[in-house]
Amino acid sequence: MDYQKLSKELSYALRHAPHEYELELDEQGWVPINQLLLSLHEQRKWRAVTEKDLHTMITLSEKKRHEINQGKIRALYGHSVPQKIQKEEKEPPAYLFHGTPQRFLDSILASGLVPKGRQYVHLSEDVQTAQQVGKRRDDHPVLLRIDARQAWQDGVKFYHGNELVWLADHVQKEYISVY
Ligand code: HQG
């Protein structure tokens, strides 16, 4: 079993296109595992996938992208479906980080961080993670530091993605500096 391919397929299904799999996400993005498996089994390459494979996929993944609980599975972040997934509000650490291509810098410094195609802005708990996120699109990404404590004190909401990924609706420019 190619667990990396399975993870990509599940991210696509659970973040972006549940309807293509005849799935409906609940308010927190959960779907019943049995429904997901039925849908996957319609594809030849996934006809033998089991619930155990889903657990193995999560264990082997280098990032915690998916979570299983009580017979359900969900993507922890990254959603672009029209229905906004409700995330748990949480007090952020003093600083969060964001890695982005050089070419977006002027626009970000002018209008802050906006979610673009996703439901939330994605922020990183540490510099190394932000660096990796930025490197997806630029060999020499810009690292931004977010004054999350100040923003939180001013009423900006932050949400828990996983232990390294934080989410926000919008981060205004006054909280952002080039790191
Ligand atoms: C940029 C992956 C211009 C923003 C990653 C980013 C992450 C602006 C891009 C997760 C802007 C959106 C999310 C503005 C934001 N002007 N550009 N005002 N505000 N941007 O992919 O954070 O591996 O939606 O800087 O590792 O890159 O798939 O967000 O470059 O955790 O699990 O607009 O996806 O995780 O791009 O990545 P994205 P992201 P997985």
Side-chain angles (χ1 to χ4, degrees):
M1 177 88 44
D2 185 335
Y3 290 107
Q4 199 179 343
K5 263 202 181 135
L6 180 61
S7 176
K8 284 196 173 158
E9 179 112 20
L10 287 204
S11 289
Y12 177 66
L14 299 175
R15 291 173 174 180
H16 309 300
H19 51 281
E20 282 183 32
Y21 296 76
E22 291 175 63
L23 296 171
E24 204 177 320
L25 308 187
D26 78 5
E27 286 185 346
Q28 282 98 35
W30 295 103
V31 299
I33 287 176
N34 57 2
Q35 284 178 23
L36 173 70
L37 289 176
L38 276 176
S39 176
L40 286 175
H41 291 165
E42 285 174 17
Q43 292 187 62
R44 207 181 160 77
K45 65 174 178 292
W46 301 127
R47 65 167 188 258
V49 177
T50 63
E51 181 164 351
K52 190 160 174 257
D53 288 321
L54 301 179
H55 285 277
T56 308
M57 172 198 83
I58 290 172
T59 309
L60 292 180
S61 176
E62 84 287 9
K63 287 187 188 174
K64 193 165 190 296
R65 296 184 171 94
H66 307 103
E67 176 180 40
I68 287 176
N69 189 27
Q70 296 191 337
K72 293 181 180 177
I73 185 166
R74 67 173 173 177
L76 284 166
Y77 58 88
H79 298 87
S80 71
V81 288
Q83 161 215 355
K84 189 146 181 184
I85 302 300
Q86 301 304 311
K87 300 301 295 180
E88 181 203 338
E89 259 185 79
K90 210 173 162 190
E91 182 175 351
Y95 295 107
L96 289 167
F97 301 89
H98 181 87
T100 191
Q102 298 272 355
R103 62 185 182 278
F104 294 163
L105 183 60
D106 288 350
S107 166
I108 292 172
L109 293 179
S111 48
L113 284 166
V114 297
K116 294 279 169 167
R118 302 190 201 256
Q119 295 186 351
Y120 295 93
V121 171
H122 287 59
L123 303 167
S124 302
E125 172 114 10
D126 62 297
V127 175
Q128 198 201 341
T129 304
Q131 184 85 24
Q132 284 165 2
V133 174
K135 281 205 166 180
R136 286 155 51 240
R137 298 197 178 100
D138 186 334
D139 288 343
H140 301 285
V142 183
L143 287 184
L144 303 174
R145 191 179 77 167
I146 316 304
D147 190 348
R149 176 159 298 155
Q150 188 61 54
W152 169 265
Q153 283 169 359
D154 294 347
V156 176
K157 290 178 182 166
F158 291 85
Y159 312 89
H160 186 68
N162 68 19
E163 59 282 357
L164 295 173
V165 177
W166 286 78
L167 305 172
D169 301 300
H170 173 200
V171 179
Q172 287 143 293
K173 62 181 177 190
E174 56 259 44
Y175 304 112
I176 301 173
S177 50
V178 175
Y179 185 62

